[in-house]
Amino acid sequence: MTTRTFGLQRLLVVASAGVGLAAGAAATLAAQRPALSGLRTRVEILEKAAQTQRQSNFAHQQRLHWELLSKAMDDPALAEVLDPFNGTVPPSKRRQFLFANALYTNLLCYYRMGNITREEFFGFARSMLQIPVFREYWYATRPHRATLIDTSDEAKLGRMVDELLVQLEETDIDEWWVVGEPPSE
């Protein structure tokens, strides 16, 4: 009987220790919940701030890109620094190519910043491909796009524009704005 009582007492002690442990854990979790919620909120705020900073940096870089291209368009000596065509393109055409590059880069940045959708990018690119100088630029820079990382946004969008250009050239209708199938997001 004493053995049975002793075993029962031990079982009660263990059970009450388990209940006490569970109650303590529940109380600790309840006390930490506001702190965890506050931390979660703080992380969300920091993530938004980081996104805003990336967009600001991206916009600043775009502005710098434009300033550099503008200087090269205004000064033939500076344009020589940006001549990947090894002198095969006359200076006046090179200036046009620099401007075409600025237009395309601007469109690319708008897309990357989320200001336009992929479908809108497609529409703007289709419009730009109606300009003979832009088409000439696009053909001349094909080897440069071939060096892009295959999975990058720029490479994917470049391939999309390449396909669209082929479709535009193969079409026999004058309604260029209906050529090509806009991509799904």
Side-chain angles (χ1 to χ4, degrees):
M1 177 83 142
T2 42
T3 309
R4 196 182 293 169
T5 305
F6 181 68
L8 188 57
Q9 285 175 343
R10 225 169 41 181
L11 183 61
L12 286 173
V13 168
V14 169
S16 84
V19 169
L21 184 61
T28 301
L29 284 174
Q32 289 179 347
R33 187 170 304 194
L36 288 174
S37 178
L39 285 174
R40 198 171 297 119
T41 301
R42 180 72 176 140
V43 166
E44 289 171 4
I45 290 169
L46 289 172
E47 286 173 347
K48 285 180 185 177
Q51 177 65 24
T52 300
Q53 184 62 49
R54 279 191 297 275
Q55 287 179 338
S56 175
N57 290 346
F58 196 68
H60 179 70
Q61 192 280 328
Q62 171 66 11
R63 188 173 35 257
L64 181 60
H65 180 258
W66 171 249
E67 289 173 12
L68 291 170
L69 285 179
S70 292
K71 287 180 183 210
M73 286 185 281
D74 292 341
D75 185 342
L78 294 178
E80 288 180 26
V81 175
L82 295 176
D83 183 9
F85 310 107
N86 299 323
T88 60
V89 175
S92 62
K93 181 66 69 179
R94 189 172 54 224
R95 289 180 69 206
Q96 290 175 328
F97 282 6
L98 289 172
F99 190 73
N101 175 268
L103 289 176
Y104 182 73
T105 302
N106 186 59
L107 181 61
L108 185 62
C109 288
Y110 258 49
Y111 173 75
R112 286 180 172 165
M113 292 174 79
N115 292 342
I116 60 173
T117 65
R118 191 174 174 91
E119 188 173 341
E120 290 170 316
F121 180 96
F122 182 84
F124 284 119
R126 181 169 44 198
S127 176
M128 289 167 61
L129 288 170
Q130 299 311 302
I131 304 164
V133 172
F134 186 84
R135 281 188 188 208
E136 196 176 344
Y137 156 78
W138 197 254
Y139 282 123
T141 56
R142 180 170 279 154
H144 308 134
R145 287 188 304 282
T147 65
L148 296 171
I149 296 172
D150 211 35
T151 56
S152 70
D153 278 343
E154 191 171 354
K156 291 175 186 176
L157 293 170
R159 285 191 301 273
M160 181 180 74
V161 174
D162 286 340
E163 291 169 16
L164 176 58
L165 181 54
V166 169
Q167 292 171 6
L168 285 166
E169 289 180 340
E170 290 176 349
T171 190
D172 58 355
I173 62 172
D174 292 332
E175 299 168 337
W176 59 266
W177 55 91
V178 298
V179 174
E181 189 65 33
S184 58
E185 293 292 324

